[in-house]
Amino acid sequence: MTRFPMTTGRVVQVVTAASTLIAIGVTAMVVQILQHAAVPVLSVAVSLLVLGVVGLTIAWAPRSVRLDDDALVLERLAWPELRFPLSDLASAEEGPRLGALGGGVWRVAGNGGVMGFTGLFHVRGIGLVRLWATQLGTPTVLLRRHTGRPLLLGVDDARGLLEALARRLKGSAPHR
């Protein structure tokens, strides 16, 4: 078992802090407004909804990628891990760097900076991918699969992950 951490970058830290403060502020304002409007049940519901969304975003945050004997495993902060069988991976290659202004990678549906970048993204020349990353400007690893969308992973040691995958995937060498 080999683990590749996904350290949270400065941009993600700032976006997460700002988003959390905004969510708390908006929730406090909504609670104040709705309490004076004699609708306390609604204020509690709105508060729970906002806190639930923030909580789920934190729980789903990627923390590391682990290579087991038979699978690539995405470990998340407080949610069950995602397993991708190695037999489903066709190849591994260096992916594009994520940039603040796109850089060939655009969010289609998902999270664009709170606790990381996760969800469905479009990569120029590749199409739609499932992305998990926690930093901007660092190399990524693109995993093409036999079935399903490609995976784009932003780990701290992209070169190390590529080399480890090349040893595990039959007939696949790391592409750069």
Side-chain angles (χ1 to χ4, degrees):
M1 173 176 54
T2 308
R3 182 170 274 112
F4 297 89
M6 300 171 90
T7 305
T8 305
R10 185 76 177 141
V11 170
V12 170
Q13 292 171 354
V14 170
V15 169
T16 300
S19 298
T20 302
L21 290 174
I22 290 168
I24 291 169
V26 167
T27 301
M29 288 188 310
V30 168
V31 166
Q32 287 295 334
I33 291 168
L34 293 177
Q35 281 181 343
H36 293 324
V39 192
V41 172
L42 189 55
S43 67
V44 170
V46 168
S47 299
L48 290 175
L49 178 65
V50 170
L51 293 174
V53 168
V54 171
L56 285 174
T57 302
I58 291 169
W60 290 332
R63 290 293 122 222
S64 64
V65 169
R66 186 179 76 232
L67 275 179
D68 287 348
D69 290 336
D70 63 341
L72 179 137
V73 181
L74 177 73
E75 298 174 336
R76 298 187 283 186
L77 187 62
W79 202 259
E81 59 195 25
L82 293 172
R83 296 182 65 78
F84 301 96
L86 291 178
S87 61
D88 187 40
L89 302 180
S91 67
E93 59 193 79
E94 187 171 318
R97 292 176 186 261
L98 302 178
L101 299 175
V105 181
W106 297 278
R107 179 171 42 126
V108 174
N111 178 10
V114 178
M115 296 299 291
F117 304 92
T118 59
L120 195 59
F121 284 66
H122 183 273
V123 177
R124 183 182 308 137
I126 297 167
L128 293 175
V129 301
R130 292 179 67 187
L131 169 72
W132 291 276
T134 56
Q135 296 188 40
L136 291 177
T138 59
T140 60
V141 174
L142 176 67
L143 300 172
R144 297 184 191 264
R145 303 191 301 166
H146 297 295
T147 60
R149 296 201 190 286
L151 309 174
L152 188 60
L153 305 172
V155 297
D156 294 354
D157 182 11
R159 181 177 299 269
L161 178 57
L162 275 172
E163 290 170 359
L165 283 166
R167 289 190 298 271
R168 303 272 181 100
L169 300 178
K170 294 173 179 71
S172 175
H175 298 86
R176 291 184 176 86

